Amino acid sequence: MSERAVGLNNKKKKGKRGCHSGMTARKMSHDGRMKREILQHKKGISSNDHNAPQSSRNQKCQETQKRKRCGLLVRRYDGAESDADGYVLYSGRQTTLAWIIDSGILLEKSKVSYMNQTRSGAMLQGRIMRSGIDCGCCGEAVTISEFESHAGSKLGLPLENIFLENDACGDDPNDDTCSICGDGGNLVCCNSCPSTFHQNCLDMQKFASGAWYCLYCTCKYCGHIGKDIYQENIEELKSSLLSCLLCDKKYHNSCIHTDDTMECVQDGLHFCGTKCREIYGKIDLLVGVKHELEDGFSWTLVQRCEVGENISSAEVTKKIGCNSKLAVALSVMDECFLPSSDPRSGINVIHNVFYSCGSNFKRLNFSGFYTLTLEMGDEIISVATIRIHGNLLAEMPYIGTRFMYRHQGMCGWPLIAVESVLRSLGVENLVIPAISELKNTWTPAFGCVPLEVSILNKMWSMNVLVFPGVDMLQKPMPDSQCTGDSKVHTEGLVLLMVVPLTSLIIQFLQLGLMTSGP
């Protein structure tokens, strides 16, 4: 048989097999349909119901079509308001400066200066307006870039070289409030800082001729601003003074006792004596640590912390826990007190106290404040702010409890916690401002007494927050000694490390949902 014949025979055989296979498949498909129809008939389901899934899809399609779809909607302006969402048409110029002013970040007509590259002098001054910058050279409102051009600069970096001037103080750089009593009037100005005082508050009959330096600018030991009293350069005199990290008092390193000089410097931090250094070290161990009380209560001492890069994960956890609790504690205090704004600077005093903000105005320098939170489970129900001025006294200007927990004895718990802290640190007295209607509550219930004259005279040399017309009370701290290094030795207190939800709070901080201070 030839090869061609063999090939034809093979094709015929393959064709038969393929035909047989196709018939078999059609027969199996037909049998399958028959079996499904029989099973559906037994279940009482008609074969026509095979269209049910298709009907369901049609119904879903109809429902979807009825829904309101996202489309391109154009506003119709028939007046001041647009449509039904209450949108009000903005009539001014949409500029960055207008947005900053409308957001309350800056006041209109705030003074700005275009600084030279060394930042040593202003090349041009102007005032911020919604329409631009009111240029000091031409008197017209110009853009930010034009303001740079009018200043004679070709750097093309206006935002990096235009600086805002603090015009809140006007032409007078000195304060208009006595740093001791908080009232105004006929004031004496310090030649070194903006602080001012009443002569009666200083208990001075007359001042020596020449420059006068206040108690905040002179050494706590020798009473002078510099060791060389004949030195005329004030900046060189001030450079010889150091500031204590705890009590913030000025001192000369040479005025400290020889045995204490080396002990008063710890990790590059300066202290005016060994007592301040020891107290600061103990406070640092207490910050961010949870202390259990009876009946399910606990308290934590917190302070605003900067979360840097080169720190351990444990430090990050601790600092984020402090910052998050501080934000919640501030909302509790806002529930208890009306906003208190300083009339000269306009700052919110309560917020600056909570976030321990500093200032070149001594009476507005709130650095060193700590916040104590009283908690029931995870809920903060009461807060108090304290600042320690060495071992002599500590101040507690604000203490408050949420409205829903008042008249339930909650105020006593944070006060007990504050007393425990002060006794462990060796602080002798707690100073509390009390308004007249609550003075009787503090005196018999919590053991407070009127401020002693000796304590009052020493307190004026400290930067204590005072309120005009408010009486100052004191609460002595008996047995204010600590037998340990870091634990609070009071019955019923157990130390537990705080373990906050770090990862979740980090996400909130990154999204800008948490409060960061003023």
Side-chain angles (χ1 to χ4, degrees):
M1 185 180 294
S2 64
E3 294 179 0
R4 185 177 180 182
V6 174
L8 291 172
N9 290 333
N10 289 338
K11 287 182 178 179
K12 290 179 180 179
K13 291 179 181 179
K14 290 179 180 179
K16 288 180 181 179
R17 285 196 297 269
C19 180
H20 177 75
S21 176
M23 293 175 63
T24 305
R26 286 195 296 271
K27 184 178 180 180
M28 291 176 64
S29 176
H30 182 268
D31 294 343
R33 287 198 299 270
M34 292 294 293
K35 289 181 179 180
R36 286 197 299 271
E37 290 179 359
I38 293 171
L39 291 173
Q40 291 172 0
H41 180 71
K42 289 182 177 180
K43 295 179 179 179
I45 302 175
S46 173
S47 60
N48 294 329
D49 290 340
H50 284 295
N51 295 327
Q54 183 67 25
S55 301
S56 177
R57 286 194 295 270
N58 293 337
Q59 183 179 359
K60 185 176 181 180
C61 182
Q62 293 174 0
E63 293 177 355
T64 306
Q65 290 176 351
K66 293 179 181 179
R67 295 176 186 172
K68 189 175 182 180
R69 300 168 62 188
C70 179
L72 185 61
L73 305 177
V74 181
R75 289 189 180 275
R76 308 290 182 184
Y77 292 103
D78 298 328
E81 294 189 0
S82 170
D83 301 328
D85 61 351
Y87 178 79
V88 178
L89 182 64
Y90 188 77
S91 59
R93 297 178 61 183
Q94 289 284 17
T95 64
T96 302
L97 296 178
W99 171 76
I100 292 175
I101 294 172
D102 293 336
S103 301
I105 300 174
L106 292 178
L107 296 176
E108 192 172 13
K109 297 184 179 181
S110 296
K111 187 183 295 184
V112 293
S113 299
Y114 189 93
M115 306 297 291
N116 56 22
Q117 288 184 296
T118 60
R119 304 289 189 268
S120 59
M123 300 173 62
L124 181 63
Q125 292 183 331
R127 291 188 179 273
I128 291 179
M129 310 291 288
R130 284 185 171 83
S131 57
I133 299 179
D134 188 8
C135 183
C137 68
C138 63
E140 297 182 357
V142 298
T143 64
I144 296 175
S145 299
E146 290 173 346
F147 185 72
E148 181 185 43
S149 178
H150 286 204
S153 174
K154 298 181 180 180
L155 295 176
L157 301 172
L159 296 179
E160 296 183 13
N161 295 285
I162 297 177
F163 286 78
L164 177 70
E165 294 187 13
N166 184 7
D167 200 30
C169 299
D171 297 329
D172 185 8
N174 294 304
D175 199 358
D176 57 3
T177 302
C178 177
S179 297
I180 294 179
C181 68
D183 283 328
N186 189 13
L187 302 171
V188 180
C189 302
C190 174
N191 286 85
S192 177
C193 73
S195 300
T196 55
F197 305 85
H198 291 125
Q199 186 171 349
N200 292 336
C201 293
L202 293 171
D203 196 20
M204 298 179 64
Q205 299 298 326
K206 64 178 182 177
F207 292 90
S209 60
W212 176 77
Y213 304 109
C214 71
L215 40 85
Y216 301 138
C217 297
T218 54
C219 175
K220 62 176 291 185
Y221 295 108
C222 68
H224 297 292
I225 191 171
K227 298 301 293 182
D228 186 3
I229 60 176
Y230 300 102
Q231 173 64 258
E232 295 183 358
N233 192 327
I234 181 63
E235 296 300 327
E236 292 184 6
L237 286 172
K238 291 169 63 176
S239 63
S240 63
L241 284 169
L242 300 174
S243 295
C244 179
L245 187 60
L246 180 72
C247 67
D248 199 38
K249 286 189 175 182
K250 298 290 192 301
Y251 68 97
H252 294 118
N253 198 41
S254 58
C255 291
I256 303 178
H257 193 275
T258 307
D259 298 336
D260 293 343
T261 304
M262 296 301 296
E263 296 182 3
C264 292
V265 180
Q266 178 180 343
D267 298 329
L269 307 177
H270 296 275
F271 301 94
C272 64
T274 54
K275 290 184 178 179
C276 283
R277 179 185 62 82
E278 292 173 356
I279 292 174
Y280 183 85
K282 293 176 181 179
I283 295 176
D284 192 48
L285 293 174
L286 291 175
V287 171
V289 180
K290 189 175 183 179
H291 305 257
E292 296 292 342
L293 293 169
E294 299 176 356
D295 300 332
F297 293 104
S298 63
W299 60 269
T300 308
L301 192 68
V302 298
Q303 189 183 46
R304 178 177 61 89
C305 302
E306 298 291 342
V307 182
E309 296 180 355
N310 300 324
I311 58 176
S312 63
S313 59
E315 273 303 299
V316 172
T317 301
K318 177 181 176 181
K319 290 184 176 183
I320 291 177
C322 287
N323 290 341
S324 58
K325 284 192 176 183
L326 191 62
V328 179
L330 179 58
S331 64
V332 173
M333 192 59 72
D334 284 336
E335 184 179 323
C336 301
F337 290 91
L338 292 171
S340 177
S341 298
D342 178 66
R344 181 168 178 80
S345 63
I347 66 169
N348 188 317
V349 176
I350 296 178
H351 288 201
N352 281 30
V353 167
F354 264 77
Y355 283 99
S356 190
C357 297
S359 174
N360 61 325
F361 280 46
K362 198 66 178 179
R363 66 179 181 86
L364 300 178
N365 182 12
F366 304 126
S367 59
F369 265 103
Y370 295 85
T371 299
L372 187 139
T373 63
L374 177 70
E375 303 162 50
M376 180 187 298
D378 293 332
E379 182 183 5
I380 297 178
I381 61 177
S382 184
V383 294
T385 58
I386 58 174
R387 180 165 57 176
I388 299 171
H389 300 270
N391 66 312
L392 178 62
L393 64 86
E395 60 173 319
M396 187 178 67
Y398 296 105
I399 181 171
T401 302
R402 294 198 63 193
F403 184 79
M404 65 177 67
Y405 293 108
R406 293 179 186 176
H407 307 294
Q408 301 179 28
M410 297 295 181
C411 188
W413 286 109
L415 190 60
I416 291 173
V418 169
E419 292 178 12
S420 302
V421 172
L422 297 183
R423 284 198 297 267
S424 70
L425 300 176
V427 179
E428 299 174 3
N429 296 280
L430 175 64
V431 176
I432 305 170
I435 57 178
S436 57
E437 53 263 34
L438 294 179
K439 185 176 180 180
N440 293 333
T441 303
W442 283 107
T443 306
F446 298 108
C448 296
V449 297
L451 196 63
E452 297 177 2
V453 177
S454 59
I455 300 296
L456 181 64
N457 294 334
K458 294 179 180 179
M459 190 181 74
W460 296 143
S461 64
M462 307 172 185
N463 182 26
V464 177
L465 180 58
V466 295
F467 303 94
V470 176
D471 295 327
M472 302 296 289
L473 304 177
Q474 75 176 83
K475 183 174 176 59
M477 300 288 110
D479 301 326
S480 55
Q481 297 294 331
C482 180
T483 58
D485 293 330
S486 61
K487 294 186 178 181
V488 181
H489 292 272
T490 303
E491 185 178 357
L493 299 185
V494 182
L495 301 189
L496 297 175
M497 287 304 299
V498 175
V499 185
L501 300 176
T502 310
S503 58
L504 180 62
I505 297 173
I506 286 177
Q507 294 177 8
F508 280 145
L509 292 174
Q510 291 175 344
L511 292 174
L513 299 179
M514 298 293 290
T515 303
S516 62

